[in-house]
Amino acid sequence: MKAAELIAIEDLYGAHNYKPLDVVIERAKGPWVWDVEGKKYLDCLAAYSAVNQGHCHPRLVKVMQQQAEILTLTSRAFRNNLWPLFAKETCELLGYESMLPMNGGAEAVETGIKLCRRWGYVAKGIPQYEAEIIVCSGNFHGRTTTIISFSDDPLAKDFYGPYTPGFITIPYGDAEALEKAITPRTAAFLVEPIQGEAGVVVPPPGFLAKAAEICKAHNVLLFCDEIQSGLGRTGALLASEHEKVKPDLISIGKALSGGMYPVSAVLSSREIMNVFKHATHGSTYGGNPMACAVSREALRVLVEENLAENAVVQGAYFMEELRKIRHPHIDFVRGKGLWIGLVLKQDGPKAMTYCRALKEQGVLAKDTHDWIIRFAPPLVITREEVDWAMERIRRVFA
Ligand SMILES: *Cc1c(COP(=O)(O)O)cnc(C)c1O
């Protein structure tokens, strides 16, 4: 079927909670995707960093195919042979003692929120149901009713109340505001080390380290949402490593399965995780053998192909080349690793207009918040492929 026909069907039968670019993708390989008409594009979104390993990585395809014929789901009512290994390897790789597996990212954040609250009552002694969690303005942590309760994006939040209470918002990057917001009822500080959906917002240097220090001093858990910032995107396995911070708990997802299958998790110390007791939390698909098989391989690919290192090298080059473009509507370029935001001045066309033009040239990028174009290609991208993209980006801004 042709693109126009498929778009018409989607618009008729599909819910309109997305307004995608009009490119109908049919297949993909590495950083490349092809539409139904056979046109090739360089993917500079990587499914919001879920395909850091590149599309249809042969090792992941193989493991997925093999595991599909062996065992896919047992539920946690029984044990399976892969979850113990997935837990051990992931904990060892990321430096944690204990792991709780879920599926989508929002589920991992919800799990982390429940863990923080429960820890607040059971371990810290906060009076029952008075626990507070401090969050940041501009946050994006997912789409559940509780998570959007502390969003400040009206598109994500409006018309979904009544909202879950217990969240206090401070400005992103403001350690002083964090310290002021802490009360004896504060269980945790939930923060993205770099805000992705807000437009690749990098906080002032030292912010996360200072926040960690403040949390420690006040017996408050530092909960870093590394769902998008983690697993290589910023040039490190975890973005918190850039400030030598070891959060008390982290949520990971997206690239955890390299785009094959939704897999997410929360990791923490054994002491914190042990506030969850039998039957107090769970998920039918969480820790299923298919997810474990795919994710174990996805993590091995990240490490063995040095994808975080490649993010450092190609990211620096990509940003340097973007900064060379002189155009009256470009304000500045920011980012870390292969996570780049090109910020436009608000007196020209919106980012969406440029994303459409980039699509025509064969580069798929996604706007955020009207004025920011985000570039976040799969971490397998080569210098030649960055050049291919840059040539087209320059054309759009010529
Ligand atoms: C994408 C994202 C989530 C939500 O993940 P889903 O899989 O879409 O539920 C949560 N936090 C951050 C930082 C994200 O980027």
Side-chain angles (χ1 to χ4, degrees), residues 4-45:
E5 219 177 320
L6 290 162
I7 290 168
I9 296 171
E10 175 175 338
D11 284 350
L12 187 59
Y13 291 101
H16 291 187
N17 58 325
Y18 279 95
K19 195 175 188 306
L21 276 180
D22 285 337
V23 52
V24 183
I25 298 165
E26 183 175 69
R27 65 193 170 88
K29 190 96 206 133
W32 300 99
V33 304
W34 286 264
D35 72 10
V36 288
E37 266 105 36
K39 185 178 168 188
K40 178 171 105 166
Y41 305 83
L42 192 72
D43 180 1
C44 283
L45 181 63

Side-chain angles (χ1 to χ4, degrees), residues 18 48 103-109 140-144 147 192 194-197 225-229 251 253-254 262 264 339:
Y18 279 95
Y48 301 91
N103 311 285
E107 281 185 329
V109 174
F140 181 85
H141 297 288
R143 299 288 195 169
T144 66
I147 292 170
E192 297 155 86
I194 291 173
Q195 286 187 332
E197 294 314 298
D225 182 353
E226 294 260 16
I227 288 172
Q228 196 166 161
S229 59
S251 49
K254 293 204 165 108
S264 67
W339 215 14

